[in-house]
Amino acid sequence: PVSGGPRRAADGTMTMMIAGAADALGRCAPVLAAIAGKVFAVGDVPGMAAKFKIVNNLLAAVNLAAGAEALALAAAAGLDVRTVVDVINASSGGSWIFADRMPRALEGDYAPRAAARILAKDVGIAASFAARHHVDTPFALAAHATFREAVATGHGELDDAIVYACARRKALPDEPLP
């Protein structure tokens, strides 16, 4: 499992989570270092790295959905959303995914780098994983609903930042979706 999207994969700075026998991981270390900026050996049990990725995806989806909601509120309140993005990115509300997605969303750039349908699937997997472990995840469920809604409006192939346009449309119903 990896994180960082196509851009970070192309420049070799993605994050990689790996699991396996220590000697095998050691033999692979030079190759992994060449293709990832950070490599985390998370255990020796097959499938362990996938569990780390599931947890990461849950938080990415929640952060992105909440960020879209916050910017939609800012727009409805008449705030300069570009300044809001700058303030958030310099403050406690910022996150990597917010800083990556929201500037593009404000430009109306929804060219797929990470399709909304993929994050909808991923957060659904995370919610199911949590349920199997008897962990209540209301934020994941809310994010899942947000992404499913974006997919249902026909925007599943667009960048996952499309959730901003969907949230803004709810807040400002007269605004068209891209």
Tab-separated table of all heavy atoms in Angstrom, residues 71-105:
chain	number	residue	atom	x	y	z
A	71	LEU	N	-15.223	24.969	3.734
A	71	LEU	CA	-15.142	25.988	2.678
A	71	LEU	C	-16.514	26.365	2.147
A	71	LEU	O	-16.744	27.525	1.784
A	71	LEU	CB	-14.258	25.512	1.532
A	71	LEU	CG	-12.774	25.707	1.706
A	71	LEU	CD1	-12.031	25.417	0.407
A	71	LEU	CD2	-12.435	27.106	2.187
A	72	ALA	N	-17.430	25.408	2.093
A	72	ALA	CA	-18.793	25.740	1.673
A	72	ALA	C	-19.432	26.691	2.674
A	72	ALA	O	-20.109	27.656	2.290
A	72	ALA	CB	-19.625	24.473	1.525
A	73	LEU	N	-19.205	26.460	3.957
A	73	LEU	CA	-19.692	27.377	4.990
A	73	LEU	C	-19.068	28.754	4.807
A	73	LEU	O	-19.770	29.773	4.882
A	73	LEU	CB	-19.374	26.831	6.384
A	73	LEU	CG	-19.618	27.790	7.551
A	73	LEU	CD1	-21.081	28.212	7.623
A	73	LEU	CD2	-19.150	27.151	8.848
A	74	ALA	N	-17.776	28.800	4.560
A	74	ALA	CA	-17.096	30.085	4.352
A	74	ALA	C	-17.708	30.830	3.177
A	74	ALA	O	-17.945	32.046	3.257
A	74	ALA	CB	-15.603	29.853	4.134
A	75	ALA	N	-17.982	30.119	2.084
A	75	ALA	CA	-18.591	30.750	0.910
A	75	ALA	C	-19.976	31.284	1.241
A	75	ALA	O	-20.323	32.420	0.886
A	75	ALA	CB	-18.659	29.758	-0.248
A	76	ALA	N	-20.783	30.475	1.934
A	76	ALA	CA	-22.138	30.897	2.294
A	76	ALA	C	-22.126	32.088	3.246
A	76	ALA	O	-23.035	32.916	3.212
A	76	ALA	CB	-22.902	29.733	2.918
A	77	ALA	N	-21.071	32.193	4.057
A	77	ALA	CA	-20.953	33.304	5.007
A	77	ALA	C	-20.348	34.550	4.362
A	77	ALA	O	-20.173	35.566	5.039
A	77	ALA	CB	-20.105	32.874	6.204
A	78	GLY	N	-20.028	34.457	3.072
A	78	GLY	CA	-19.496	35.609	2.363
A	78	GLY	C	-18.007	35.846	2.574
A	78	GLY	O	-17.494	36.932	2.275
A	79	LEU	N	-17.303	34.840	3.071
A	79	LEU	CA	-15.864	34.984	3.285
A	79	LEU	C	-15.109	34.756	1.978
A	79	LEU	O	-15.571	34.022	1.097
A	79	LEU	CB	-15.376	33.992	4.333
A	79	LEU	CG	-16.040	34.067	5.703
A	79	LEU	CD1	-15.484	32.973	6.614
A	79	LEU	CD2	-15.846	35.437	6.321
A	80	ASP	N	-13.954	35.350	1.860
A	80	ASP	CA	-13.080	35.115	0.714
A	80	ASP	C	-12.487	33.721	0.898
A	80	ASP	O	-11.626	33.516	1.764
A	80	ASP	CB	-11.986	36.181	0.658
A	80	ASP	CG	-11.030	35.978	-0.502
A	80	ASP	OD1	-10.687	34.812	-0.820
A	80	ASP	OD2	-10.603	36.985	-1.088
A	81	VAL	N	-12.930	32.769	0.093
A	81	VAL	CA	-12.537	31.376	0.306
A	81	VAL	C	-11.041	31.150	0.069
A	81	VAL	O	-10.447	30.271	0.689
A	81	VAL	CB	-13.391	30.390	-0.519
A	81	VAL	CG1	-14.814	30.336	0.015
A	81	VAL	CG2	-13.363	30.724	-1.991
A	82	ARG	N	-10.439	31.937	-0.779
A	82	ARG	CA	-8.989	31.800	-0.990
A	82	ARG	C	-8.229	32.192	0.278
A	82	ARG	O	-7.262	31.530	0.661
A	82	ARG	CB	-8.543	32.624	-2.184
A	82	ARG	CG	-9.097	32.088	-3.483
A	82	ARG	CD	-8.671	32.899	-4.700
A	82	ARG	NE	-9.492	32.645	-5.854
A	82	ARG	CZ	-9.566	31.507	-6.517
A	82	ARG	NH1	-8.857	30.487	-6.122
A	82	ARG	NH2	-10.344	31.376	-7.565
A	83	THR	N	-8.683	33.246	0.914
A	83	THR	CA	-8.053	33.645	2.173
A	83	THR	C	-8.329	32.614	3.253
A	83	THR	O	-7.449	32.314	4.070
A	83	THR	CB	-8.546	35.045	2.604
A	83	THR	OG1	-8.240	35.979	1.548
A	83	THR	CG2	-7.883	35.501	3.882
A	84	VAL	N	-9.513	32.038	3.244
A	84	VAL	CA	-9.831	30.978	4.207
A	84	VAL	C	-8.855	29.817	4.032
A	84	VAL	O	-8.328	29.283	5.011
A	84	VAL	CB	-11.299	30.513	4.069
A	84	VAL	CG1	-11.562	29.264	4.891
A	84	VAL	CG2	-12.253	31.626	4.478
A	85	VAL	N	-8.594	29.416	2.798
A	85	VAL	CA	-7.644	28.331	2.544
A	85	VAL	C	-6.275	28.694	3.101
A	85	VAL	O	-5.618	27.876	3.765
A	85	VAL	CB	-7.565	27.991	1.040
A	85	VAL	CG1	-6.362	27.104	0.732
A	85	VAL	CG2	-8.848	27.307	0.589
A	86	ASP	N	-5.830	29.930	2.864
A	86	ASP	CA	-4.523	30.357	3.383
A	86	ASP	C	-4.483	30.314	4.908
A	86	ASP	O	-3.503	29.851	5.500
A	86	ASP	CB	-4.196	31.772	2.897
A	86	ASP	CG	-3.923	31.837	1.405
A	86	ASP	OD1	-3.641	30.777	0.793
A	86	ASP	OD2	-3.996	32.952	0.851
A	87	VAL	N	-5.548	30.789	5.531
A	87	VAL	CA	-5.605	30.799	6.997
A	87	VAL	C	-5.599	29.363	7.533
A	87	VAL	O	-4.852	29.033	8.465
A	87	VAL	CB	-6.846	31.581	7.495
A	87	VAL	CG1	-7.078	31.352	8.985
A	87	VAL	CG2	-6.682	33.067	7.190
A	88	ILE	N	-6.420	28.498	6.952
A	88	ILE	CA	-6.484	27.113	7.414
A	88	ILE	C	-5.142	26.414	7.240
A	88	ILE	O	-4.676	25.709	8.137
A	88	ILE	CB	-7.618	26.350	6.694
A	88	ILE	CG1	-8.970	26.845	7.212
A	88	ILE	CG2	-7.486	24.835	6.896
A	88	ILE	CD1	-10.164	26.321	6.450
A	89	ASN	N	-4.502	26.630	6.096
A	89	ASN	CA	-3.222	25.973	5.853
A	89	ASN	C	-2.122	26.450	6.796
A	89	ASN	O	-1.129	25.753	6.978
A	89	ASN	CB	-2.785	26.140	4.399
A	89	ASN	CG	-3.570	25.234	3.477
A	89	ASN	OD1	-4.064	24.189	3.880
A	89	ASN	ND2	-3.699	25.635	2.229
A	90	ALA	N	-2.301	27.604	7.415
A	90	ALA	CA	-1.320	28.122	8.374
A	90	ALA	C	-1.777	27.929	9.817
A	90	ALA	O	-1.129	28.417	10.740
A	90	ALA	CB	-1.070	29.607	8.104
A	91	SER	N	-2.880	27.204	9.993
A	91	SER	CA	-3.484	27.086	11.321
A	91	SER	C	-3.768	25.630	11.680
A	91	SER	O	-3.466	24.719	10.925
A	91	SER	CB	-4.784	27.893	11.368
A	91	SER	OG	-4.528	29.249	11.069
A	92	SER	N	-4.405	25.459	12.808
A	92	SER	CA	-4.650	24.121	13.349
A	92	SER	C	-5.629	23.292	12.526
A	92	SER	O	-5.653	22.070	12.648
A	92	SER	CB	-5.159	24.228	14.792
A	92	SER	OG	-6.356	24.984	14.829
A	93	GLY	N	-6.420	23.898	11.672
A	93	GLY	CA	-7.382	23.146	10.866
A	93	GLY	C	-6.797	22.530	9.611
A	93	GLY	O	-7.468	21.769	8.934
A	94	GLY	N	-5.558	22.840	9.313
A	94	GLY	CA	-4.954	22.362	8.080
A	94	GLY	C	-4.637	20.878	8.093
A	94	GLY	O	-4.482	20.258	9.139
A	95	SER	N	-4.571	20.305	6.898
A	95	SER	CA	-4.137	18.918	6.715
A	95	SER	C	-3.486	18.831	5.339
A	95	SER	O	-3.713	19.684	4.475
A	95	SER	CB	-5.318	17.949	6.798
A	95	SER	OG	-6.187	18.106	5.685
A	96	TRP	N	-2.719	17.784	5.133
A	96	TRP	CA	-2.058	17.613	3.837
A	96	TRP	C	-3.089	17.563	2.712
A	96	TRP	O	-2.932	18.213	1.685
A	96	TRP	CB	-1.208	16.328	3.825
A	96	TRP	CG	-0.511	16.137	2.516
A	96	TRP	CD1	0.728	16.599	2.187
A	96	TRP	CD2	-1.031	15.482	1.351
A	96	TRP	NE1	1.008	16.262	0.878
A	96	TRP	CE2	-0.062	15.566	0.342
A	96	TRP	CE3	-2.223	14.821	1.066
A	96	TRP	CZ2	-0.232	15.033	-0.922
A	96	TRP	CZ3	-2.405	14.293	-0.203
A	96	TRP	CH2	-1.409	14.397	-1.183
A	97	ILE	N	-4.157	16.807	2.893
A	97	ILE	CA	-5.134	16.644	1.822
A	97	ILE	C	-5.890	17.946	1.551
A	97	ILE	O	-6.183	18.278	0.411
A	97	ILE	CB	-6.080	15.440	2.075
A	97	ILE	CG1	-6.725	14.999	0.763
A	97	ILE	CG2	-7.100	15.737	3.165
A	97	ILE	CD1	-7.317	13.614	0.798
A	98	PHE	N	-6.170	18.716	2.589
A	98	PHE	CA	-6.816	20.014	2.402
A	98	PHE	C	-5.909	20.927	1.594
A	98	PHE	O	-6.341	21.556	0.628
A	98	PHE	CB	-7.139	20.642	3.764
A	98	PHE	CG	-7.850	21.954	3.671
A	98	PHE	CD1	-9.234	22.009	3.629
A	98	PHE	CD2	-7.142	23.147	3.634
A	98	PHE	CE1	-9.899	23.229	3.545
A	98	PHE	CE2	-7.795	24.368	3.545
A	98	PHE	CZ	-9.185	24.409	3.500
A	99	ALA	N	-4.637	20.998	1.981
A	99	ALA	CA	-3.680	21.869	1.285
A	99	ALA	C	-3.480	21.438	-0.164
A	99	ALA	O	-3.266	22.276	-1.046
A	99	ALA	CB	-2.339	21.874	2.018
A	100	ASP	N	-3.574	20.156	-0.429
A	100	ASP	CA	-3.394	19.650	-1.783
A	100	ASP	C	-4.629	19.870	-2.646
A	100	ASP	O	-4.517	20.269	-3.804
A	100	ASP	CB	-3.060	18.156	-1.728
A	100	ASP	CG	-2.752	17.592	-3.096
A	100	ASP	OD1	-1.706	17.969	-3.668
A	100	ASP	OD2	-3.559	16.775	-3.599
A	101	ARG	N	-5.816	19.604	-2.099
A	101	ARG	CA	-7.022	19.592	-2.928
A	101	ARG	C	-7.739	20.942	-3.042
A	101	ARG	O	-8.243	21.286	-4.106
A	101	ARG	CB	-8.032	18.573	-2.392
A	101	ARG	CG	-7.555	17.141	-2.264
A	101	ARG	CD	-7.047	16.556	-3.566
A	101	ARG	NE	-7.091	15.107	-3.561
A	101	ARG	CZ	-6.154	14.308	-3.081
A	101	ARG	NH1	-5.075	14.801	-2.535
A	101	ARG	NH2	-6.280	12.998	-3.155
A	102	MET	N	-7.832	21.681	-1.958
A	102	MET	CA	-8.692	22.867	-1.976
A	102	MET	C	-8.225	23.966	-2.925
A	102	MET	O	-9.075	24.561	-3.598
A	102	MET	CB	-8.903	23.396	-0.562
A	102	MET	CG	-9.792	22.496	0.313
A	102	MET	SD	-11.446	22.132	-0.353
A	102	MET	CE	-11.242	20.444	-0.909
A	103	PRO	N	-6.942	24.263	-3.052
A	103	PRO	CA	-6.568	25.281	-4.045
A	103	PRO	C	-7.009	24.903	-5.460
A	103	PRO	O	-7.486	25.756	-6.215
A	103	PRO	CB	-5.040	25.360	-3.920
A	103	PRO	CG	-4.777	24.971	-2.498
A	103	PRO	CD	-5.791	23.880	-2.228
A	104	ARG	N	-6.888	23.627	-5.821
A	104	ARG	CA	-7.339	23.186	-7.146
A	104	ARG	C	-8.847	23.300	-7.256
A	104	ARG	O	-9.377	23.713	-8.296
A	104	ARG	CB	-6.906	21.744	-7.397
A	104	ARG	CG	-5.422	21.576	-7.544
A	104	ARG	CD	-5.043	20.241	-8.163
A	104	ARG	NE	-5.779	19.097	-7.679
A	104	ARG	CZ	-5.291	18.165	-6.879
A	104	ARG	NH1	-4.064	18.240	-6.435
A	104	ARG	NH2	-6.035	17.141	-6.515
A	105	ALA	N	-9.556	22.931	-6.190
A	105	ALA	CA	-11.016	23.014	-6.214
A	105	ALA	C	-11.465	24.450	-6.418
A	105	ALA	O	-12.418	24.704	-7.163
A	105	ALA	CB	-11.598	22.446	-4.923
